[in-house]
Amino acid sequence: MNLAALDPKLLSLLDAVLDETHLARAAARVGLPLAAAAAALERCRQLFADPLLEDGGQAMQLTATAQALREPLRQVLAARTAQAATEAALPRQVRIAMPDYPAQMLAQPLYEELSASAPHLEIVFQPWLNQADAASALETGTCDVAIGSVARTHGNLRSREVLQERCVVVMRHDHPAAHQLTLQRWLTYPHLVVSSLDELNRAVDTQLAAHGQTRRVAMVVPQFLMVPPLLHNSDLIAMMPMHCVPAATAAHPVALACLRPPLPLPGLPLHLLRHRRSDGDDAVEQVAQALERLIKSRVAGR
């Protein structure tokens, strides 16, 4: 019988039974319900064509076959433990797809947390195009975790809301429309659009169409971090999630003006998405949990 080919859980129970010579104590040791342990022991008895435990009078004792199994079983379990430790020490890559902002806010604290708790993880931030591209990457297995604004999932994708976004109109603080923003004034000025905000962009255009209006898009950019310098030095106006508006920095010390949109827009929930194939993957789970904590503490707290 090739012990190494057997189910590890079966071998763990068998090892406990051989040590304890008592089924209930063995079940408690490996954390199995007694009924499940009894079924597993019966499976072992069938595999080895031997009762393994026999009545010794005052207590159960091992059969000759069970005695002969003890050392080979210990060797197999020790080898598996050593292999698991080796695999745990190997570099493991976890790939994250999310927009450049708030990724800029999260990268440093995420590294600090994981370098202490999971030093063998390699975190890869992937380029973000849009929600559909991220969902496709999760489906094909080229991405492990995605942070996006759409809850709609299908097939094998899991989604969990981690933040509720509020959309705002953003412009330089001394913009002519900064103090009194009506729909007509908003439409008077050229618009700056972030292409990755596909859901928000569609919602804005749908609302405008319902009012028989369109906006004049003067520039489309792929990244949030391109927005502040363009707004600071022009009459451009952008529509963005509040948490994606960069705070004032040394490079751009003047904060941008954030105003309520002049037309009704639904909230924009931010979701953490994973594929079902990652269920039970400790590395992906650790990164996902860390991201969720950091989003709630670093982003939502702004």
Side-chain angles (χ1 to χ4, degrees), residues 21 114-115 125 136 138 141 152 168 174 210 265 267 273 282 284 302:
T21 62
L114 295 178
S115 63
F125 279 89
S136 176
L138 287 170
R152 293 197 304 270
V168 291
D174 58 349
L265 287 172
L273 298 101
D282 291 340
V284 174
R302 283 186 58 204

Side-chain angles (χ1 to χ4, degrees), residues 83-93 119-122:
Q83 181 181 4
T86 299
E87 290 175 352
L90 292 175
R92 170 68 199 283
Q93 191 178 88
H120 300 294
L121 285 184
E122 176 186 348

Side-chain angles (χ1 to χ4, degrees), residues 6-7 9-27 30 32-54 60-63 66 69 73:
L6 297 181
D7 184 344
K9 293 182 180 178
L10 197 65
L11 293 183
S12 294
L13 174 71
L14 179 58
D15 181 55
V17 168
L18 299 187
D19 275 353
E20 303 287 349
T21 62
H22 190 282
L23 181 59
R25 289 198 298 268
V30 299
L32 275 179
L34 186 56
L41 178 58
E42 181 58 32
R43 173 66 178 150
C44 291
R45 284 168 168 162
Q46 293 174 5
L47 286 171
F48 296 104
D50 188 87
L52 301 176
L53 293 178
E54 58 187 5
M60 300 297 287
Q61 63 183 20
L62 302 181
T63 65
L69 281 173
L73 180 57

Side-chain angles (χ1 to χ4, degrees), residues 233-251:
N233 298 295
S234 72
D235 283 345
L236 285 166
I237 293 178
M239 178 81 76
M240 296 173 65
M242 181 66 189
H243 295 107
C244 289
V245 179
T249 65

Side-chain angles (χ1 to χ4, degrees), residues 6-293:
L6 297 181
D7 184 344
K9 293 182 180 178
L10 197 65
L11 293 183
S12 294
L13 174 71
L14 179 58
D15 181 55
V17 168
L18 299 187
D19 275 353
E20 303 287 349
T21 62
H22 190 282
L23 181 59
R25 289 198 298 268
R29 177 167 143 182
V30 299
L32 275 179
L34 186 56
L41 178 58
E42 181 58 32
R43 173 66 178 150
C44 291
R45 284 168 168 162
Q46 293 174 5
L47 286 171
F48 296 104
D50 188 87
L52 301 176
L53 293 178
E54 58 187 5
D55 190 353
Q58 294 184 342
M60 300 297 287
Q61 63 183 20
L62 302 181
T63 65
T65 297
Q67 289 282 7
L69 281 173
R70 297 198 70 180
E71 187 55 32
L73 180 57
R74 286 171 178 167
Q75 292 176 3
V76 168
L77 292 174
R80 285 189 171 175
T81 300
Q83 181 181 4
T86 299
E87 290 175 352
L90 292 175
R92 170 68 199 283
Q93 191 178 88
V94 177
R95 300 153 299 178
I96 304 170
M98 62 187 303
D100 61 306
Y101 203 93
Q104 185 191 43
M105 291 177 62
L106 300 177
Q108 180 63 28
L110 182 65
Y111 169 75
E112 291 174 355
E113 177 172 335
L114 295 178
S115 63
S117 61
H120 300 294
L121 285 184
E122 176 186 348
I123 305 302
V124 178
F125 279 89
Q126 297 179 320
W128 176 272
L129 297 178
N130 52 49
Q131 181 72 28
D133 179 76
S136 176
L138 287 170
E139 288 280 10
T140 58
T142 56
C143 174
D144 301 302
V145 180
I147 304 294
S149 58
V150 182
R152 293 197 304 270
T153 58
H154 57 84
N156 292 312
L157 296 189
R158 298 185 184 280
S159 174
R160 182 167 69 250
E161 183 177 319
V162 293
L163 182 67
Q164 185 65 226
E165 293 274 26
R166 177 167 61 90
C167 296
V168 291
V169 177
V170 189
M171 63 192 76
R172 57 186 170 89
H173 76 290
D174 58 349
H175 193 286
H179 300 293
Q180 187 178 9
L181 186 65
T182 64
L183 180 60
Q184 289 306 318
R185 283 178 67 80
W186 180 56
L187 294 176
T188 298
Y189 294 94
H191 287 231
L192 173 63
V193 170
V194 181
S195 59
S196 61
L197 287 171
D198 44 348
E199 288 288 316
L200 175 58
N201 293 331
R202 281 195 292 270
V204 170
D205 291 334
T206 298
Q207 285 284 348
L208 286 174
H211 288 79
Q213 302 279 2
T214 59
R215 55 180 171 167
R216 178 166 64 90
V217 176
M219 182 170 288
V220 179
V221 297
Q223 298 175 336
F224 290 109
L225 293 176
M226 295 178 67
V227 172
L230 288 167
L231 296 183
H232 277 300
N233 298 295
S234 72
D235 283 345
L236 285 166
I237 293 178
M239 178 81 76
M240 296 173 65
M242 181 66 189
H243 295 107
C244 289
V245 179
T249 65
H252 301 289
V254 179
L256 295 167
C258 297
L259 290 81
R260 185 191 301 272
L263 72 171
L265 287 172
L268 201 63
L270 197 66
H271 284 77
L272 186 149
L273 298 101
R274 293 171 49 181
H275 196 279
R276 292 179 187 272
R277 76 170 67 87
S278 70
D279 291 352
D281 188 323
D282 291 340
V284 174
E285 180 63 28
Q286 188 168 6
V287 172
Q289 289 181 1
L291 276 173
E292 182 170 357
R293 284 194 301 273

